[in-house]
Amino acid sequence: MADLNEAELVRRVAAGDRAAFDELYRRTSPWMTVRLRRRCADDDVVADVLQETYLAVWRAAGSYAGSVTGGSAVGWLWTIAANRLVDALRRRARQERVPTIALVETTAPAAEDEVMANRVGQDLEQALLRLPPELRQVLQAMVLDGLSVRQTSVLLSMPEGTVKTRARRARIALREALS
């Protein structure tokens, strides 16, 4: 196997040759790891991308057409790895955009607190129902759901300035209704 070039190893991998795959991995994984680390500092992401890349190579080696197109097997491998890295970084960016919900401890409130909360809750509920729907949506997203101005802006598809203005108007209206 040592005298075969990478293109021939890929062709043998396409035929199901496990030894050729092992040799291809032994030759190419060190430099691929270095190239991936230059683009991503997270070792876990690099390890996942490397695994996904070689899994894709094993599954799709038959699609390598280097001898016909003049492309190199190493270039083909790097293209797969680069695409997998982009996919992994996009997944991570999507996960970071999802707001996390903090869990709150549940404790039983005192009876007096329940009575006061119920009364205040009824007054607040009535005041909220009297708000125009666009103000109520912003207030619900920011106060009840705990979203930031930016997150509320994305959720409601409106500019951040509009979110701030509506939140202020809603608070003023609630203050007047409850006083």
Side-chain angles (χ1 to χ4, degrees), residues 123-137:
D123 293 341
L124 181 60
E125 183 179 355
Q126 290 301 315
L128 280 171
L129 290 174
R130 284 190 292 253
L131 284 177
E134 65 273 5
L135 298 182
R136 193 175 328 122
Q137 284 179 329

Side-chain angles (χ1 to χ4, degrees), residues 42-171:
D42 188 338
D43 288 337
D44 291 335
V45 172
V46 170
D48 289 345
V49 167
L50 204 61
Q51 182 177 4
E52 289 175 17
T53 298
Y54 283 100
L55 183 61
V57 167
W58 178 256
R59 290 179 177 165
S63 68
Y64 171 67
S67 60
V68 176
T69 63
S72 72
V74 172
W76 180 71
L77 283 169
W78 174 245
T79 301
I80 294 170
N83 289 334
R84 295 295 187 268
L85 180 61
V86 168
D87 292 343
L89 295 176
R90 283 181 182 155
R91 272 192 308 272
R92 187 192 325 169
R94 276 193 304 271
Q95 290 170 350
E96 290 173 357
R97 278 187 269 157
V98 175
T100 57
I101 299 173
L103 299 177
V104 180
E105 281 188 36
T106 56
T107 57
E112 299 85 15
D113 292 339
E114 282 187 18
V115 169
M116 287 303 293
N118 194 21
R119 180 171 178 174
V120 172
Q122 289 174 352
D123 293 341
L124 181 60
E125 183 179 355
Q126 290 301 315
L128 280 171
L129 290 174
R130 284 190 292 253
L131 284 177
E134 65 273 5
L135 298 182
R136 193 175 328 122
Q137 284 179 329
V138 170
L139 200 60
Q140 180 180 3
M142 292 181 68
V143 176
L144 300 178
D145 298 337
L147 300 179
S148 68
V149 172
R150 175 170 283 140
Q151 291 167 333
T152 303
S153 168
V154 171
L155 176 71
L156 299 177
S157 301
M158 63 179 66
E160 289 181 33
T162 305
V163 169
K164 291 177 186 178
T165 301
R166 289 183 181 177
R168 186 172 188 286
R169 286 182 187 162
R171 286 185 179 116

Side-chain angles (χ1 to χ4, degrees), residues 1-5 23 26-27:
M1 293 278 168
D3 57 336
L4 298 175
N5 65 21
E23 179 65 18
R26 186 191 63 74
R27 286 187 197 178

